Amino acid sequence: MIGAMPSTHPFRSDVSQRHDFQTHAFQSDDRQLYAIKDKVVAHERLSADDALALYRSGDLLAVGWLANSVRERMHGDKTYFNVNRHINPTNVCIAACRLCAFGRKKDTPGAYTMALDEAFQTAASGYSEAVTEFHIVGGLHPDLPFQYFLDLISGLKERFPQVHLKAFTMVEVAYLAKRAKLSILETLEQLKAAGVDSLPGGGAEIFADRVRHIICDHKIDGDQWLETAKLAHQIGLKSNATMLYGHVENDEDRVDHLLKLRNLQDETGGFQTYIPLAFHPDNTPLQHLPKTTGILDIKQIAIGRLVLDNFPHIKSYWQMVTAKMAQISLRFGADDIDGTVIEEKIYHDAGATTPQGMRREELVRLIREAGREPIERDTLYRPVTRTETSVTVAV
């Protein structure tokens, strides 16, 4: 529905007169952007045609001006990050997606599956009092029983009760339900009871069937991904949402993806963060495709901020686009650059050359040098305060 956003919109706030739309003049040779600018200033929702115009505009600075205006209206200079730890319990996967360099068939070189004790040890090896989140995703293993995943979660929660467990994509949840002969709702309820606190946003890729049949034909389709997210939100599990871009999709596919996310967010309010993910073709069956450009990476951030008016946060995932591009994106709509991340596997298997982890101090420096205010957060975006002897999460 296109129209003025209500004045009580939960993610709108005029943070400071300094961030008013009239502070800096808007200029562009792209006449279509002026009509979009009028909507943005009036807090009106952008249409599919508006989103297409943004994708097709060559004036990146003007698009960025619009996105930054919304970003500053919502968050001022605040930029969020967290101290987290990635755990990938297995890379064995039946899906064989053409976009993936992480998954392996069982009994092939490089395939692994952690025993539970090994997973607990992996968590402990990267753990300190500073860690507030474990991010847990893996492959679609053909043999592991559902109980393995319940025991993994309950074991982590027992050993690290103060750490938020963000675990299992919509794709993994649907697969676990099928393997366990449970409904998706029952599966989510059991995962929540075991200790899952929220869900990551992976596996969304591109919702359009045409694209999905090419890049990830063995995964659930876009409607099933959205339905799984809807059920998670209905039982109180927040989640993120992603878009994998820069492969065989077109602008119309990207717009369709964003609008479907926006529609579901209108219904549930359960998405916390939108994360555009740049496709890394190396070591995948699609390695003949070119890598994304910096222009496209920044534009994805900016358009996400402008179209997803009901999403509180837009994340620039520094592991995918590099720390330097993540810095720049803080002036193009992003208000989050993810976390410290220890030993990220999935995108590095696909050729990412960024570090697999970053120190907290370095994230703070990157944010400050971009002219923003670093705010350490937990997974639910509650501010984290640290002293030499304690960690406090605002409730």
Side-chain angles (χ1 to χ4, degrees), residues 2 18 41 52 62 73 75 83 86 110 126 128 176 183 191 213 238 247 273 284-285 289 291 298 325 333 355 365 382:
I2 302 170
R18 184 171 69 83
V41 170
L52 275 174
R73 185 169 68 203
H75 300 290
V83 178
H86 279 216
S128 72
L176 291 175
S183 71
L191 288 170
H213 286 317
K238 297 288 189 180
H247 40 88
T273 310
T284 77
L289 295 177
K291 295 183 178 180
I298 291 295
M325 291 297 290
R365 184 182 72 85
R382 298 174 300 191

Side-chain angles (χ1 to χ4, degrees), residues 200-331:
E205 321 307 3
I206 291 286
F207 292 142
D209 285 340
R210 175 191 66 82
V211 177
R212 224 167 173 84
H213 286 317
I214 297 171
I215 64 172
C216 56
D217 197 31
H218 300 293
K219 283 182 179 176
I220 56 175
D221 64 28
D223 288 342
Q224 291 170 319
W225 191 99
L226 291 163
E227 179 63 22
T228 303
K230 178 180 177 179
L231 291 170
H233 298 168
Q234 287 176 346
I235 66 168
L237 290 172
K238 297 288 189 180
S239 78
N240 293 336
T242 60
M243 178 203 295
L244 185 73
Y245 66 91
H247 40 88
V248 300
E249 88 286 0
N250 57 33
D251 289 341
E252 287 83 0
D253 297 324
R254 296 169 186 164
V255 171
D256 172 73
H257 190 97
L258 290 173
L259 295 186
K260 285 177 177 174
L261 289 176
R262 190 172 74 181
N263 290 342
L264 182 56
Q265 181 74 335
D266 277 345
E267 184 176 351
T268 69
F271 289 123
Q272 295 196 115
T273 310
Y274 167 66
I275 313 164
L277 300 174
F279 176 58
H280 283 248
D282 290 354
N283 305 317
T284 77
L286 297 175
Q287 61 186 355
H288 59 283
L289 295 177
K291 295 183 178 180
T292 63
T293 64
I295 297 293
L296 179 58
D297 293 337
I298 291 295
K299 186 176 281 189
Q300 284 291 118
I301 293 285
I303 296 173
R305 180 64 284 162
L306 289 166
V307 174
L308 297 176
D309 51 53
N310 52 7
F311 271 61
H313 301 285
I314 305 294
K315 181 183 293 186
S316 183
Y317 197 48
W318 68 261
Q319 298 92 328
M320 298 287 283
V321 298
T322 76
K324 292 179 180 179
M325 291 297 290
Q327 266 190 309
I328 294 169
S329 72
L330 299 181
R331 296 285 169 178

